[in-house]
């Protein structure tokens, strides 16, 4: 099954990404585009055997603009940097499975066709995020803690204090009863203080 997996990557997945000018490094396909780096990672399961290869598709975007707003500046090259947007393919392509599985009884051509359809849908979603603001808006809409510090810095630097205040209220409503909220509140107050608010 490992040979079949390698063949699928070489004959189907790599040419698919090459059409969109993606570069390949190991099982990573990435495309630098101005201030963003789009990346698809194929993650093989550690429990794979000779007759069963299970793998996941991780989708991410690194924003150099958001990286500059992080508490500590990253020193690694963009491909290795912290991703600002991150999701498994199922999160952005609902028709995709949680994972893909190669076993002796599957039809490899059918699996490959399905995988390429899912990658096409995921790629369309990823390429719709064309700026740091799109990433920030994505997580604000979900009232997520992921990227919250960078989000506040981004909004306050842009002078969008109204959106920053609204986001803070939403976070407090969702997480305010948790013990960690006191720590988060102090962090956020410090960020607002950096911008004189």
């Amino acid at each position: 099954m490992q040979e079949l997996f390698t063949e699928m990557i070489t004959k189907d997945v790599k040419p698919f990404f090459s059409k969109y000018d993606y570069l390949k490094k190991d099982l990573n396909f990435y495309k630098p585009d101005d201030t963003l780096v789009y990346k698809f990672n194929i993650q093989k399961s550690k429990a794979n055997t000779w007759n069963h290869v299970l793998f996941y598709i991780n989708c991410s975007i690194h924003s150099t603009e958001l990286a500059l707003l992080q508490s500590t500046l990253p020193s690694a090259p963009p491909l290795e940097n912290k991703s600002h947007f991150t999701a498994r393919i199922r999160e952005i392509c609902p028709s995709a499975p949680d994972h893909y599985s190669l076993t002796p009884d599957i039809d490899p051509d059918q699996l490959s066709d399905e995988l390429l359809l899912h990658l096409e849908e995921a790629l369309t979603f990823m390429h719709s995020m064309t700026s740091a603001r799109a990433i920030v808006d994505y997580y604000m809409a979900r009232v997520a803690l992921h990227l919250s510090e960078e989000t506040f810095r981004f909004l306050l630097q842009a002078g969008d204090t109204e959106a920053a205040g609204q986001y803070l209220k939403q976070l407090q409503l969702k997480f305010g009863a948790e013990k960690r909220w006191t720590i988060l509140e102090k962090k956020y107050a410090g960020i607002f203080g950096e911008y004189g608010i």
Side-chain angles (χ1 to χ4, degrees), residues 43 54-58 87-91 93-101 118:
Q43 176 190 349
L54 186 135
F55 62 96
Y56 305 89
I57 308 288
N58 302 307
R88 283 265 165 94
I89 196 168
R90 175 81 184 262
E91 296 173 56
C93 174
S95 62
D98 289 328
H99 61 269
Y100 297 87
S101 195
H118 300 153

Side-chain angles (χ1 to χ4, degrees), residues 3 29 61 64 97 99 105 121 128 131 152 158 172 176 181 187:
E3 293 80 13
F29 297 88
I61 304 171
T64 53
H99 61 269
D105 59 340
E121 188 177 334
S128 73
S131 66
F152 284 122
Q172 185 172 19
W181 180 250
K187 267 189 194 180

Side-chain angles (χ1 to χ4, degrees), residues 17-81:
F17 281 115
S18 292
K19 283 191 314 189
Y20 297 97
D21 300 323
Y22 274 69
L23 305 170
K24 182 180 182 296
K25 181 181 178 185
D26 302 321
L27 290 175
N28 298 300
F29 297 88
Y30 65 99
K31 179 180 181 176
D33 187 18
D34 291 330
T35 62
L36 301 175
V37 178
Y38 300 96
K39 179 180 164 188
F40 288 82
N41 162 260
I42 299 172
Q43 176 190 349
K44 293 195 310 188
S45 170
K46 292 180 181 177
N48 285 341
T49 63
W50 68 272
N51 68 342
H52 186 199
V53 173
L54 186 135
F55 62 96
Y56 305 89
I57 308 288
N58 302 307
C59 311
S60 61
I61 304 171
H62 169 81
S63 163
T64 53
E65 192 176 352
L66 292 174
L68 293 172
L69 299 173
Q70 289 175 241
S71 299
T72 56
L73 290 176
S75 57
L79 183 59
E80 305 302 328
N81 277 348

